[in-house]
Amino acid sequence: MQTKQTTRLANLVQISIFSAIAVVLTFWEIPMWLFGPGFYKLGLSDAIVLISGFSLGPLAGVLTEFLKVTLRLLLRGTSTFGLGEFANLVAGIALVLPSAAFYKGHRTFKGAVVAMLLGIASLTVMSGVLNYFVLLPLDAALFSVSESTIVSWGNAVNQLITNKFMFVLLLVCPFNLLKGSLVCCFTLIFYKKLSAIINDFSSKIVK
């Protein structure tokens, strides 16, 4: 029978493993030129974060996301003055926190689907708000480009993008909607198998 300390240690081991897998997946991200500038990249690392949150709870999911972003920053450094890493952290938390919190009280297939829909909605809205009020202005300031120039990058892909609001509405939000949907589909497919493997592995380490 596991004690509380043993359980806590096993959970920390699992979080570490989930974080390591997520970091590895960050090195395989595809630039989404269809949506706009090349800094919009699609990856599945947050699926591992979401699996961690579903398996161990919302706080574990948040910790996994934090460790993933921190380790990625230590391994690769930053070319965005930390702005890209901050955006990834907020987006990851926006997805995993409401999803894992809801699933914690509704551990059924239907509960998982509803949890993921909540997470996708949260990610899409939060990313839109964050980009409009924080990221786009900071991008313009840090990289000495005007917001109109950033908007023009989106306009090159979609002519309906003529201002910052339309940039967020027609580029940022659809991108995050697609990203969240793919992440959740991956999670739905691999959650039980991957979490069982990692749980079994951690149990052998922590006895």
Side-chain angles (χ1 to χ4, degrees):
M1 185 175 180
Q2 287 189 326
T3 65
K4 286 185 177 181
Q5 286 185 332
T6 303
T7 301
R8 189 175 298 140
L9 182 57
N11 288 346
L12 288 174
V13 170
Q14 291 185 63
I15 290 170
S16 300
I17 296 171
F18 280 125
S19 301
I21 297 172
V23 170
V24 171
L25 288 181
T26 64
F27 290 91
W28 284 276
E29 295 178 332
I30 304 171
M32 296 298 290
W33 300 106
L34 177 65
F35 283 89
F39 50 77
Y40 284 95
K41 297 180 180 180
L42 187 63
L44 293 173
S45 62
D46 281 335
I48 305 302
V49 176
L50 191 54
I51 291 173
S52 175
F54 275 18
S55 179
L56 303 171
L59 293 181
V62 171
L63 180 56
T64 303
E65 178 67 30
F66 177 80
L67 289 173
K68 181 200 80 172
V69 172
T70 302
L71 290 171
R72 163 81 182 195
L73 183 61
L74 291 173
L75 290 171
R76 292 290 296 269
T78 180
S79 58
T80 61
F81 301 99
L83 193 59
E85 289 72 26
F86 171 73
N88 289 334
L89 177 63
V90 174
I93 292 174
L95 174 65
V96 70
L97 188 57
S99 296
F102 184 87
Y103 184 69
K104 186 176 181 179
H106 305 81
R107 300 185 73 85
T108 62
F109 179 79
K110 181 180 179 181
V113 172
V114 173
M116 290 177 184
L117 290 175
L118 288 173
I120 293 170
S122 172
L123 168 64
T124 304
V125 172
M126 179 61 73
S127 296
V129 172
L130 187 68
N131 271 271
Y132 189 88
F133 290 105
V134 179
L135 297 180
L136 292 179
L138 282 179
D139 273 331
L142 289 173
F143 298 102
S144 300
V145 295
S146 65
E147 289 187 6
S148 61
T149 299
I150 297 175
V151 170
S152 71
W153 296 341
N155 180 261
V157 176
N158 186 340
Q159 293 183 351
L160 293 177
I161 299 175
T162 55
N163 54 50
K164 185 168 72 170
F165 178 77
M166 296 303 289
F167 184 95
V168 170
L169 183 65
L170 298 179
L171 194 157
V172 176
C173 289
F175 169 76
N176 283 284
L177 181 63
L178 173 63
K179 178 181 178 180
S181 299
L182 291 177
V183 163
C184 287
C185 286
F186 185 93
T187 301
L188 204 60
I189 294 170
F190 293 102
Y191 161 57
K192 286 190 176 181
K193 182 175 292 186
L194 183 58
S195 60
I197 291 171
I198 292 177
N199 180 60
D200 181 62
F201 179 76
S202 66
S203 297
K204 292 178 180 177
I205 295 176
V206 182
K207 294 182 179 179

